[in-house]
Amino acid sequence: MRREVLTWSDVDKLIDYLAPQIQGRYDSMVIITRGGIVPAGMLAEALNITYLLTASVRFPADFPGLQTHDQEKFAIPEFIQFPDDSLLEGRRVLVVDDVWTKGRNMVTVANRIDAAGGQPDTCVLHYKPASSLYPGYTPTYYAAVSDAYIIYPWELDRGPEVLGAWN
C-alpha cells in the first residue's frame, strides 16, 4: 500500500481547505479518540467551538479470513467512552476524526448521537472511499480523498514499533 507522510504544513492546508466548507454554527463537537484529537483541536479553534466532548469506540478483533464483509460492517462496538445523551440531545454536533477508512467509528458515533436526539455531521481530513464499508455514505465534510496509508505529523517517530513494543 502506498504511504503518504504529511507535514504540519500539509495539515494546516487541509484545515484551511476544510474549515470554510463547514456550514452554520455547531453547538458542540464530538472528537473520536485518538486520531481525531489533533485535527479536532485545530478545527475547534478555527470554528470557535468551545463545547468539546470525546468518544472512544472499539470493535471486536478482526479475525482474518473468518469475518465476512457484513460481519465486519455490523460488528457490535464497545463504547469505552461516550458523552451522556443529555449532552447531545437537541444539539447540532460536528463529529471529527482524522481519517475515514472503513467508516465504522464515524458511522457508529454519528448513529449514537442521532439516537440521543442530536444532529450529527461528520468531518475528517481524509476520506478513503475504496475501503469504506458504507458505499454511498460519505463524511459530511472532508478535505481530501486518498487511497494511501496516511501518516500524520503527530504520528511520526511514535508508536509501538518505535518504542520496541512490537519486537
Side-chain angles (χ1 to χ4, degrees):
M1 173 180 278
R2 185 173 66 83
R3 294 166 49 120
E4 187 175 337
V5 179
L6 300 183
T7 65
W8 283 106
S9 178
D10 295 330
V11 173
D12 280 339
K13 289 175 188 170
L14 291 168
I15 296 293
D16 288 345
Y17 180 76
L18 191 56
Q21 293 180 46
I22 299 172
Q23 300 296 309
R25 179 91 179 121
Y26 284 88
D27 302 308
S28 60
M29 178 184 286
V30 170
I31 303 164
I32 298 179
T33 65
R34 292 176 326 214
I37 292 173
V38 173
M42 295 171 79
L43 280 170
E45 188 67 29
L47 301 171
N48 196 29
I49 299 173
T50 58
Y51 195 82
L52 307 177
L53 306 164
T54 58
S56 182
V57 182
R58 181 172 58 188
F59 287 87
D62 294 339
F63 299 101
L66 296 179
Q67 284 192 332
T68 67
H69 177 76
D70 282 344
Q71 286 170 324
E72 186 176 28
K73 182 177 179 179
F74 298 112
I76 297 172
E78 174 187 359
F79 290 95
I80 299 165
Q81 179 182 22
F82 203 86
D84 188 74
D85 289 357
S86 66
L87 300 174
L88 303 168
E89 186 177 5
R91 292 182 175 271
R92 187 165 184 237
V93 181
L94 186 63
V95 184
V96 180
D97 204 352
D98 56 352
V99 62
W100 173 307
T101 302
K102 293 180 181 179
R104 290 189 310 181
N105 287 341
M106 189 63 78
V107 169
T108 299
V109 169
N111 285 343
R112 184 152 171 195
I113 292 168
D114 185 59
Q119 300 145 8
D121 284 329
T122 55
C123 179
V124 294
L125 295 179
H126 289 93
Y127 169 50
K128 298 182 175 187
S131 59
S132 179
L133 294 173
Y134 307 90
Y137 187 73
T138 65
T140 311
Y141 307 107
Y142 54 94
V145 174
S146 181
D147 63 353
Y149 180 81
I150 307 294
I151 301 168
Y152 295 99
W154 53 89
E155 298 172 323
L156 292 175
D157 300 326
R158 292 177 185 83
E161 65 281 358
V162 174
L163 300 173
W166 284 355
N167 289 336

